[in-house]
Amino acid sequence: MSGWTNGSSTVSYTSFLLLGFPGLQESRALLVLPFLSLYLVIVSANALVTRTVVAQRSLHQPMYLLIALLLAVNICAATTVVPAMLFSFSTRFNRISLARCLVQMFCIYFLIVFDCNILLVMALDRYVAICYPLRYPQIVTSQLLAGLLGVAAARGTCIVAPVVALASRHMALMTLSCGDISLNKTVGLAVRIFNRVLDMLLLGASYARIIQAALRMASAGARSKALDTCGSHLLVIFTVYSSTMSSSIVYRVARTASQDVHNLLSAFYLLLPCLVNPLIYGARTKEIRQHLATLFQRPQQQVPSKKPQPLASQRELPA
């Protein structure tokens, strides 16, 4: 760490050295291949589903557009972390400026919170679609959707900015005796618990009403479709929240574990939802799955017929 001292008990730092995996300093290059492969899979899977939603006009509906946005956020979250890790592993350049460290911290936390906020918007969208199906087009408009996403972004900023501001104060000006940072830990833990508990209460209340309304549907097909859609969303919610909460629990409980283990688990918990979410939506959402299947189907060779096909048969083909 580089900085200056004024002879008192404080030192101001302007840059830091990232240890990464201190136990693997001599073999860090071996980590490039697994992390690069994981990053390429994450980007490819999320981009494929996102492109499918954007390219198909039939999928230009709030639920599918929110799925595409969620997967785009996954790409941004992975890109915020993995390329810098790969650069550090391959070049052994471990120095990072204070400003860049704070920007990266803000981006990571903001994307995590924004990801959870999108899940709240998706829960509201499904609540209106299943509980008030006839009024859904009038309620969930593009203006309402844009407003909700704006509120989600503002909420994420308001949650993350104070935490990063407190962290910057202690990172830029540290006491030589490793002074008290209990305020940072208390505020960070309180914000995380309040945010997670509030989100889970809202999600639980929404999906309880959604499942109750779905079970009361007269049509078996509509009931099955509604429950299947809710099942996909609930799987994603479980993956996202279990990853973030498990990271906090393991960090505080497994204090005796090595720094390498903590860093590996932190990367795993951050990247796991980015890897699993496109698989869940790509495999369980029927409309997306059907469009994805057409991308991988080999075009069948058509045998020229001796007689032209009648016009009526051409009209029977699906649009």
Side-chain angles (χ1 to χ4, degrees), residues 131-143:
C131 297
Y132 305 97
L134 298 180
R135 299 175 55 191
Y136 178 78
Q138 290 76 31
I139 297 176
V140 183
T141 62
S142 57
Q143 292 80 5

Side-chain angles (χ1 to χ4, degrees), residues 104-286:
Q104 186 183 47
M105 180 187 301
F106 177 84
C107 291
I108 293 173
Y109 290 161
F110 172 80
L111 291 172
I112 292 175
V113 175
F114 189 51
D115 194 56
C116 297
N117 291 341
I118 294 175
L119 294 176
L120 287 174
V121 178
M122 295 172 70
L124 178 61
D125 171 76
R126 289 300 88 198
Y127 172 77
V128 177
I130 295 177
C131 297
Y132 305 97
L134 298 180
R135 299 175 55 191
Y136 178 78
Q138 290 76 31
I139 297 176
V140 183
T141 62
S142 57
Q143 292 80 5
L144 177 64
L145 204 59
L148 290 175
L149 292 176
V151 172
R155 180 174 182 254
T157 303
C158 293
I159 291 174
V160 175
V163 177
V164 176
L166 282 173
S168 66
R169 185 181 67 177
H170 287 279
M171 291 174 63
L173 195 63
M174 297 181 179
T175 60
L176 292 177
S177 60
C178 297
D180 185 17
I181 59 172
S182 58
L183 177 62
N184 291 43
K185 294 182 178 180
T186 302
V187 172
L189 183 60
V191 169
R192 180 171 295 186
I193 291 177
F194 176 78
N195 182 43
R196 293 293 180 268
V197 171
L198 179 61
D199 289 357
M200 293 178 69
L201 288 175
L202 292 174
L203 290 170
S206 298
Y207 280 101
R209 292 290 303 275
I210 290 171
I211 294 174
Q212 184 180 14
L215 292 175
R216 280 190 266 179
M217 288 181 175
S219 172
R223 181 168 59 249
S224 176
K225 181 179 179 181
L227 293 176
D228 187 63
T229 301
C230 292
S232 300
H233 293 321
L234 289 174
L235 280 176
V236 171
I237 290 171
F238 175 78
T239 302
V240 172
Y241 280 89
S242 63
S243 297
T244 55
M245 295 181 67
S246 298
S247 176
S248 302
I249 294 173
V250 171
Y251 180 79
R252 287 170 173 79
V253 173
R255 295 183 179 274
T256 58
S258 65
Q259 187 64 41
D260 292 341
V261 173
H262 281 294
N263 292 345
L264 184 62
L265 289 177
S266 297
F268 174 76
Y269 289 133
L270 177 64
L271 299 177
L272 178 63
C274 302
L275 178 64
V276 174
N277 290 349
L279 301 179
I280 294 175
Y281 284 124
R284 290 183 55 87
T285 307
K286 180 180 178 181

